Amino acid sequence: PSVLDSFALLSGQLNTLNKVLKHEKTPLLRNQVIIPLVLSPDRDEEIMRQTEGRVPVFSHEVVPDHLRTKPDPEVEEQEKQLITDAARISPDAAQKQIQSLNKMCSNLLEKISKEERESESGGLRQNKQTFNPADTNALVAAVAFGKGLSNRRPPGSGASVQSGQPGAGAIIAGASGMQQVPMTGAPTQQQPMLAGVQMAPAGQPGKV
């Protein structure tokens, strides 16, 4: 009830104030001039509270800005010039200029949106993963530690191969799988060897 009573009181006062302001004998407020009566360079807490901390002091520096009802003379001159230039343009020319400006703005907005879409798609492409971490880890483990590799030897390798000498190992493996066959007519004579194969001397028949 107290809130309703206060609201009714305020509503009545506002209606009365509106009637007074709308009365024909009431002068227009825009024709009235506000004159500051007290100017002080000191900090005013009441003004701080009323302006929510925007105006700490009410001095001769801030009064012209806060009590101004007209723009600066330079701005006023620019506005007058713009109004004069606008009055010289015919309605058809003005409509054409408006259409051209709208077209330029729409093209610019389209380009900006296209650039944004391309940048977003490029970012998505850069963030997309192009490899499988499990496969990479398995490959590194196989190369570094031999994990997952088979221990079986290929068939036919009867002799061990020395590390670091693949050529010698191949010769040894080939020689171990072959036997020397004595040649007819020279059982005790040493025959020359070529790559693990006994060759018959010139003029003597034989077989390998």
Side-chain angles (χ1 to χ4, degrees):
S2 60
V3 173
L4 292 176
D5 293 341
S6 301
F7 181 78
L9 180 61
L10 289 174
S11 179
Q13 291 179 352
L14 288 174
N15 289 330
T16 303
L17 182 59
N18 285 331
K19 289 180 180 179
V20 172
L21 292 177
K22 291 179 180 179
H23 197 270
E24 58 182 8
K25 293 184 179 180
T26 302
L28 296 176
L29 292 180
R30 69 182 63 181
N31 296 331
Q32 303 298 318
V33 179
I34 298 177
I35 301 176
L37 300 178
V38 179
L39 296 178
S40 175
D42 299 331
R43 183 184 179 90
D44 194 339
E45 297 297 334
E46 182 66 20
I47 293 178
M48 283 281 293
R49 184 182 63 82
Q50 292 180 357
T51 58
E52 299 179 354
R54 292 188 298 270
V55 182
V57 295
F58 198 66
S59 61
H60 65 282
E61 295 180 357
V62 299
V63 164
D65 296 331
H66 290 285
L67 298 183
R68 176 179 292 146
T69 57
K70 295 176 65 177
D72 291 336
E74 295 83 2
V75 178
E76 203 169 16
E77 289 295 330
Q78 291 179 2
E79 287 185 353
K80 289 181 179 179
Q81 185 66 29
L82 290 175
I83 292 172
T84 305
D85 295 341
R88 295 176 182 174
I89 302 175
S90 62
D92 295 338
Q95 190 65 27
K96 290 181 180 179
Q97 290 183 5
I98 291 173
Q99 291 177 358
S100 62
L101 180 60
N102 290 334
K103 186 176 180 180
M104 291 173 58
C105 293
S106 61
N107 292 335
L108 183 60
L109 289 174
E110 186 177 354
K111 289 182 180 180
I112 293 174
S113 60
K114 183 178 179 181
E115 290 291 336
E116 290 179 352
R117 289 194 300 269
E118 290 179 354
S119 62
E120 290 177 358
S121 61
L124 291 176
R125 285 196 299 269
Q126 290 179 0
N127 295 331
K128 186 178 180 180
Q129 195 172 15
T130 58
F131 65 94
N132 189 353
D135 294 345
T136 303
N137 294 333
L139 183 61
V140 172
V143 172
F145 307 107
K147 183 178 180 181
L149 299 180
S150 177
N151 294 326
R152 294 183 301 173
R153 294 179 181 177
S157 60
S160 61
V161 179
Q162 296 181 359
S163 61
Q165 297 178 356
I171 294 174
I172 292 173
S176 62
M178 300 180 65
Q179 295 181 355
Q180 292 183 3
V181 180
M183 305 304 294
T184 305
T188 58
Q189 186 179 0
Q190 295 292 333
Q191 305 295 336
M193 299 290 293
L194 178 61
V197 179
Q198 190 177 26
M199 302 299 295
Q204 293 184 1
K207 61 179 180 178
V208 178

